Amino acid sequence: MKKIVCLVALVAAVTTSHATLVVSPNWTPLFQGIDQKVGTNFPNTTITNNGAVFTDSSLQVAHCIRVDLTDPGVQLFTTPRATNWSAETRETLSLSISNFIKKYALQVAVDANFYSVNPGGSDPTSEGLPSEVDGLLISKGVVVSPADNNNRYASMMFTTNKVPILDLNNRPPGTNTAGIYTAVTGFYPVLTNGVNVWALYSAAFTAAYPDSFIHQQQPRTSFGLSQDKRYLFLMTIDGRQGGYSDGAVDVETAMWMLQFGAWDALNMDGGGSTAMYRADCAGNPAPVNHSSYVVAYGRERILGDHFGVYAQPLPAFINNVVATPAMTTAEITWTTVAPASSQIEYGLTSSYGTLSALDSTLVTSHDVTLSGLAPGKRYFYRTISSDGATNYNSCAETFFTTNNQVVGLLYDLQNDCRFTTANLDGTNWQASGYNDSGWSNGVGVLWADSANPSGNPAIQFLPLDPQMMPLNPANTGYPFITYYFRTHFNYTNSLAGVTLTFSNYIDDGAAFYLNGVEINRAFLPVGANNTTLASGYNCSGNADCPYIFTASGSNLQAGDNVVAVEVHNFNAHSPDITFGQALFYTAPPPPPPPFITDMVATPGETSATITWTTLSNATSRVAYSLTTNLNKATPLDTNMVTSHSVTLTGLAQLTNYYYRVISSIGATQYTANGSFSTVPFYDGLVSLNNIWSYSTTNENGINWQARSFDESLFQGQGPALLYIENNPAVAPRNTLLPAAAGGAPFPTYYFRTHFTFDTNLAGLSLVFTNYIDDGAIFYLNGQEIQRVRMPAAPQTVVYTDSATGCPHPVDCDAVTNAPDIFRISGDLLTNLVAGGDNVLAAEVHQAVPSGSDIVFGSAVGFVRALVSETELRVQLSGNIATISWDGSGFTLQQAHASAGPASWSDVAPAATSPYSITNPPATTFYRLRN
């Protein structure tokens, strides 16, 4: 592709007619901080610029994910470095987007940088191949691919707190990446400062690059930012799918980005790579857009790099979903936290396909009955409720209709039939495609009787047509010798193993056909024609008992079927003729439900608990490893149970594992596979919305921080954040604090809360995540542990003293993306009470007397200590030296000289505390690393 020169001058206005672009009116929440919109267009959208006119004649469907970068639960993630990383030739390992979501437990993922897999090789058909990424790519602060000369220079970078930075000309040696936590790189900008670059320069670029990919209607991926840099937009435009979405050129990509709210936007890798997935309720990847690669090849494209987003789930609006199935019906009940409508989406696959009727009555207790279901089938379903502003869906659920053998009625005796008395010898009147529109029709049972014009008393128990069939005027009013019948029915279930049962009331003989093929002959000679008489009759010669036969479903077809019957009289002067038929089908029992269900892996730092259920009592075992060869296994638990739980221990931190649960009954073994990743260690003690007691009274000279202090003397209590604040970026604001006279905050507020700590302190540190406006001093059980924007210790601080470092109150706003974080360890932890009540106290001070707001909240948890927080102890006893330390996750190193990092080596085998050595060298240095 020809090199594209970066645009640096934007001088003309661009106007776009949006009348033909249609986007969903509201953003649909997917997760906390992540919303979705969908847009489509009517062709012939017009863009004008200084008299030049560009007309879009293609059909397009655009999907856009909006990511709120200020949401504290939102984190960005790109493809990490490959194992045995090497620049250019092995930067990443190939992976599909859906497996990228599963492997790293992401909520949203999309294609990102341009790349090549097996550099110089063909499009891969397997995962795990070395890949080379074009342009800068950073994952969790690690440079995966540096800026290079592959003609991809438009970079979007994010700091650790997700502040975005754009560099549209990031050529080698590239932007200084210090402080950059996440970065991706596209080809070029399509939208800059709200200006549609490609509409502005369309004529010039078309002339310069007439055959370029940028001017072709193709699937597109674009990343954008809002003007205030709060929102990241991830957009795909589907393409190469005529009649649905043709794709877009860059001028259209920018036009869509403007529609969704972007101010700046980059063109990312597109074409067959364009794909966006999200995690469903169960965490499984589900496509957001329609990938052209899936349409063309029936599978996902395997990419060299990806962009993902972590986010927290939305608060549950739908709860208590229960299905009560019967044979052909199922009652679904659920509750909602607010009045809402009721509807069910269901079907025989996870794609559903059917919606129940919408009940728009707004209620909190919902009850919907599904009918017309197939017996013995597994149905997938989810509930849908809307409160008028937002649609809510429950997670995917399943139920099984009852009845192990499927028996169904295709039509009964009152079925409508077409009939004729014309001579049809020599015509293929039994065929499915035969035109019977000129025949008469009536509801069975159909009959003609010269002796009983009102109907034969012998068959009065049957439902009769109000008008009998015609008699033969040429035979002194007797019935015709032969009558012909045809009827249609629709069959939509599986054809495998189906048996058809025909229940017939006939007088006298008959031949039966299904889709033109004879399936039965009763009391009628082979080769019969229109004048052939029946050779016998059923029952007493009247249609007062059924003639029943069965036929295999070999000639049955999915969809429309035709049954044709010819009925013949026993003699030419028989006074009556009768025909009625009911048709049933019997199918083999459906496959049994899965023996193993509800499999869940709950990973910890170095362990994981696997739970599952079985249909009946069975044993428990789990095989696992770092690869799919599963070369490790837990001991067999021979207890026969239906609810299983096995815990794996000794796992590596932050590592992906594959596993298989195994349950056996006698010699029969059942298995199911899964994967999980171990997680960072953190155990919470105080949540962000913990309840705090508060006071605005001057507490100078009072030991209000002590455990024994009677906090009932304080003014009140409530969950954090506690606040006087009107900035919407400060959240969650839960408890309004009292103000002084005139409405301004008091100079100082005092806070106390309680927690219980039951863990051995060895090797641990406490992490405090705080939202403070403006400064604070923290105390643990009466002992000061930390100051934030306050005069340094040991200076005494009183009620009227001000916070420091905030020249203007807005500089210390406690916004959600800027918490104050600190750790304590060592001697400061000795004040914790193990197994008993602990008091955390804080005094929060205003920065200036005229300040208009105050905010406080703090979350506390414990984590593994860092090396810098861990004491290494050495004890000599005779000729034995013992080295010990607290905690886990550390590696002991040794050196015989303290000069330079190269002199240090890990103690082998890997040492655990305490570690002893006999007759150590005269001088040996030890240290820990993690």
Side-chain angles (χ1 to χ4, degrees):
M1 181 179 290
K2 295 183 179 178
K3 185 175 179 181
I4 304 298
V5 179
C6 184
L7 304 177
V8 295
L10 301 174
V11 296
V14 177
T15 61
T16 304
S17 170
H18 297 303
T20 56
L21 301 183
V22 180
V23 300
S24 47
N26 300 310
W27 288 98
T28 300
L30 300 181
F31 306 94
Q32 293 188 43
I34 297 183
D35 304 314
Q36 178 187 10
K37 270 191 177 184
V38 180
T40 187
N41 72 327
F42 299 104
N44 300 316
T45 298
T46 300
I47 300 173
T48 60
N49 178 59
N50 292 340
V53 178
F54 171 84
T55 301
D56 159 27
S57 59
S58 65
L59 186 63
Q60 294 157 7
V61 176
H63 297 265
C64 189
I65 296 289
R66 185 182 70 175
V67 180
D68 188 347
L69 298 173
T70 67
D71 189 298
V74 167
Q75 297 298 328
L76 309 179
F77 181 73
T78 60
T79 310
R81 273 187 172 187
T83 53
N84 303 320
W85 177 88
S86 63
E88 304 303 323
T89 59
R90 190 182 173 89
E91 294 177 335
T92 63
L93 298 179
S94 62
L95 195 66
S96 67
I97 292 182
S98 62
N99 282 338
F100 182 64
I101 282 185
K102 288 195 289 187
K103 182 173 183 178
Y104 298 105
L106 292 153
Q107 276 59 62
V108 172
V110 65
D111 62 293
N113 293 40
F114 292 74
Y115 66 92
S116 58
V117 177
N118 250 347
S122 59
D123 208 16
T125 58
S126 60
E127 298 182 338
L129 298 176
S131 305
E132 177 185 350
V133 179
D134 294 347
L136 180 66
L137 182 71
I138 295 178
S139 179
K140 299 179 71 172
V142 176
V143 176
V144 178
S145 172
D148 54 33
N149 287 310
N150 284 335
N151 204 25
R152 307 295 192 263
Y153 305 128
S155 294
M156 184 179 290
M157 300 167 284
F158 303 86
T159 64
T160 53
N161 57 353
K162 298 169 292 185
V163 175
I165 301 168
L166 282 175
D167 185 345
L168 303 182
N169 196 20
N170 190 12
R171 300 169 182 265
T175 302
N176 183 358
T177 59
I180 301 300
Y181 193 69
T182 310
V184 291
T185 300
F187 199 176
Y188 41 74
V190 295
L191 190 64
T192 303
N193 295 326
V195 176
N196 187 329
V197 176
W198 295 93
L200 190 63
Y201 293 101
S202 176
F205 273 88
T206 300
Y209 307 103
D211 300 320
S212 174
F213 182 89
I214 63 177
H215 306 298
Q216 300 171 9
Q217 301 286 349
Q218 297 289 351
R220 299 285 174 175
T221 301
S222 181
F223 290 8
L225 294 169
S226 60
Q227 186 174 8
D228 60 3
K229 301 297 189 287
R230 174 177 176 176
Y231 294 110
L232 167 66
F233 298 91
L234 309 174
M235 184 187 74
T236 61
I237 301 174
D238 292 330
R240 303 177 184 172
Q241 299 170 67
Y244 161 68
S245 185
D246 301 309
V249 297
D250 290 302
V251 65
E252 297 159 327
T253 303
M255 185 169 62
W256 277 114
M257 269 299 194
L258 281 169
Q259 280 291 99
F260 289 121
W263 188 249
D264 296 278
L266 308 180
N267 175 284
M268 308 302 290
D269 189 14
S273 298
T274 290
M276 184 185 294
Y277 281 73
R278 58 158 294 188
D280 65 13
C281 298
N284 297 313
V288 174
N289 75 317
H290 293 183
S291 163
S292 64
Y293 200 89
V294 172
V295 171
Y297 298 98
R299 63 172 179 86
E300 287 183 68
R301 191 173 209 169
I302 300 171
L303 310 181
D305 71 285
H306 323 73
F307 183 91
V309 184
Y310 292 102
Q312 297 300 311
L314 295 169
F317 184 83
I318 296 175
N319 303 283
N320 306 314
V321 180
V322 176
T324 306
M327 185 169 70
T328 60
T329 62
E331 182 183 30
I332 316 294
T333 60
W334 70 98
T335 61
T336 51
V337 297
S341 61
S342 309
Q343 195 171 29
I344 303 288
E345 189 174 21
Y346 65 100
L348 292 170
T349 71
S350 57
S351 299
Y352 307 115
T354 305
L355 281 168
S356 68
L358 173 65
D359 184 349
S360 58
T361 306
L362 301 183
V363 294
T364 57
S365 295
H366 306 259
D367 191 333
V368 172
T369 296
L370 308 179
S371 59
L373 306 179
K377 292 290 186 179
R378 182 186 187 185
Y379 278 86
F380 296 79
Y381 76 98
R382 63 177 179 176
T383 63
I384 304 172
S385 286
S386 174
D387 60 4
T390 305
N391 288 329
Y392 298 92
N393 301 325
S394 67
C395 290
E397 306 276 358
T398 62
F399 63 79
F400 283 86
T401 48
T402 58
N403 188 5
N404 286 334
Q405 188 177 52
V406 182
V407 178
L409 175 68
L410 293 170
Y411 54 81
D412 62 18
L413 287 171
Q414 290 184 292
N415 182 52
D416 186 87
C417 274
R418 290 190 172 274
F419 64 88
T420 185
T421 60
N423 186 342
L424 298 180
D425 289 346
T427 64
N428 192 16
W429 64 274
Q430 308 97 328
S432 299
Y434 179 81
N435 184 4
D436 58 15
S437 60
W439 292 20
S440 302
N441 71 291
V443 174
V445 171
L446 297 161
W447 56 277
D449 194 328
S450 59
N452 299 286
S454 297
N456 188 340
I459 58 171
Q460 283 296 308
F461 71 95
L462 297 174
L464 301 178
D465 188 82
Q467 293 182 351
M468 66 178 184
M469 294 185 296
L471 298 173
N472 185 356
N475 193 19
T476 62
Y478 288 101
F480 290 89
I481 291 176
T482 302
Y483 290 74
Y484 303 90
F485 303 88
R486 285 171 55 92
T487 191
H488 292 252
F489 69 90
N490 192 46
Y491 189 82
T492 58
N493 297 317
S494 171
L495 297 173
V498 176
T499 298
L500 298 176
T501 300
F502 295 81
S503 179
N504 310 276
Y505 289 85
I506 55 172
D507 181 356
D508 291 301
F512 303 84
Y513 308 87
L514 176 61
N515 297 321
V517 176
E518 183 176 328
I519 55 175
N520 188 267
R521 186 170 287 260
F523 317 112
L524 187 66
V526 175
N529 58 31
N530 181 259
T531 60
T532 302
L533 295 171
S535 59
Y537 39 78
N538 190 40
C539 302
S540 60
N542 291 313
D544 53 4
C545 67
Y547 170 77
I548 299 173
F549 68 88
T550 61
S552 72
S554 58
N555 200 42
L556 182 67
Q557 53 194 36
D560 182 62
N561 292 264
V562 172
V563 173
V565 182
E566 54 182 293
V567 178
H568 293 245
N569 230 328
F570 182 66
N571 69 58
H573 292 97
S574 175
D576 57 355
I577 193 165
T578 305
F579 173 69
Q581 183 184 75
L583 176 59
F584 303 83
Y585 72 93
T586 303
F595 186 79
I596 294 175
T597 57
D598 305 322
M599 186 174 67
V600 176
T602 306
E605 183 191 14
T606 58
S607 64
T609 298
I610 315 296
T611 60
W612 68 98
T613 58
T614 50
L615 286 177
S616 55
N617 290 331
T619 62
S620 310
R621 197 177 195 184
V622 175
Y624 66 100
S625 71
L626 295 172
T627 64
T628 54
N629 64 5
L630 305 177
N631 56 7
K632 297 181 180 179
T634 61
L636 175 65
D637 184 347
T638 57
N639 291 321
M640 304 294 285
V641 294
T642 57
S643 295
H644 306 258
S645 179
V646 173
T647 298
L648 312 180
T649 59
L651 306 180
Q653 302 178 33
L654 298 173
T655 302
N656 188 61
Y657 282 86
Y658 299 89
Y659 70 92
R660 174 180 298 143
V661 302
I662 306 168
S663 286
S664 298
I665 301 176
T668 305
Q669 186 180 89
Y670 303 91
T671 64
N673 295 334
S675 65
F676 64 85
S677 293
T678 49
V679 299
F681 173 79
Y682 179 89
D683 203 340
L685 296 173
V686 178
S687 66
L688 183 59
N689 59 357
N690 209 61
I691 294 176
W692 295 74
S693 299
Y694 61 83
S695 174
T696 62
T697 305
N698 187 339
E699 303 288 350
N700 289 343
I702 299 173
N703 193 14
W704 64 273
Q705 311 96 327
R707 292 176 66 221
S708 59
F709 177 78
D710 182 6
E711 61 195 45
S712 67
L713 301 174
F714 274 20
Q715 290 167 270
Q717 65 176 14
L721 298 176
L722 302 104
Y723 71 96
I724 298 175
E725 177 63 80
N726 58 12
N727 183 349
V730 176
R733 291 174 292 171
N734 285 325
T735 302
L736 180 65
L737 292 169
F746 290 93
T748 299
Y749 289 71
Y750 302 90
F751 301 93
R752 287 170 55 92
T753 195
H754 296 253
F755 65 90
T756 301
F757 184 78
D758 296 320
T759 303
N760 188 327
L761 299 177
L764 299 178
S765 296
L766 291 184
V767 174
F768 293 71
T769 303
N770 314 283
Y771 293 90
I772 305 166
D773 184 344
D774 294 307
I777 303 177
F778 290 82
Y779 306 87
L780 181 59
N781 293 324
Q783 177 185 355
E784 182 180 326
I785 57 173
Q786 185 76 20
R787 297 190 180 197
V788 178
R789 292 187 294 277
M790 295 298 295
Q795 179 178 331
T796 301
V797 174
V798 298
Y799 179 75
T800 55
D801 286 343
S802 298
T804 60
C806 295
H808 304 289
V810 71
D811 294 344
C812 291
D813 270 6
V815 294
T816 56
N817 64 347
D820 292 294
I821 300 174
F822 63 84
R823 300 165 63 106
I824 67 170
S825 57
D827 293 341
L828 290 176
L829 290 179
T830 60
N831 201 37
L832 270 173
V833 177
D837 181 57
N838 291 267
V839 172
L840 178 62
E843 54 182 281
V844 177
H845 292 249
Q846 289 285 72
V848 293
S850 59
S852 61
D853 53 2
I854 183 168
V855 178
F856 177 69
S858 181
V860 184
F862 58 88
V863 297
R864 300 292 184 198
L866 302 173
V867 168
S868 60
E869 299 167 333
T870 304
E871 180 183 4
L872 189 64
R873 301 178 292 273
V874 179
Q875 182 179 6
L876 292 173
S877 178
N879 64 341
I880 298 176
T882 301
I883 301 96
S884 62
W885 62 92
D886 293 326
S888 61
F890 302 109
T891 299
L892 182 66
Q893 292 192 310
Q894 64 183 4
H896 300 295
S898 60
S903 62
W904 292 94
S905 62
D906 293 348
V907 174
T912 58
S913 178
Y915 171 74
S916 297
I917 182 171
T918 304
N919 296 321
T923 301
T924 305
F925 298 88
Y926 291 96
R927 72 179 185 183
L928 293 174
R929 69 173 176 86
N930 69 350

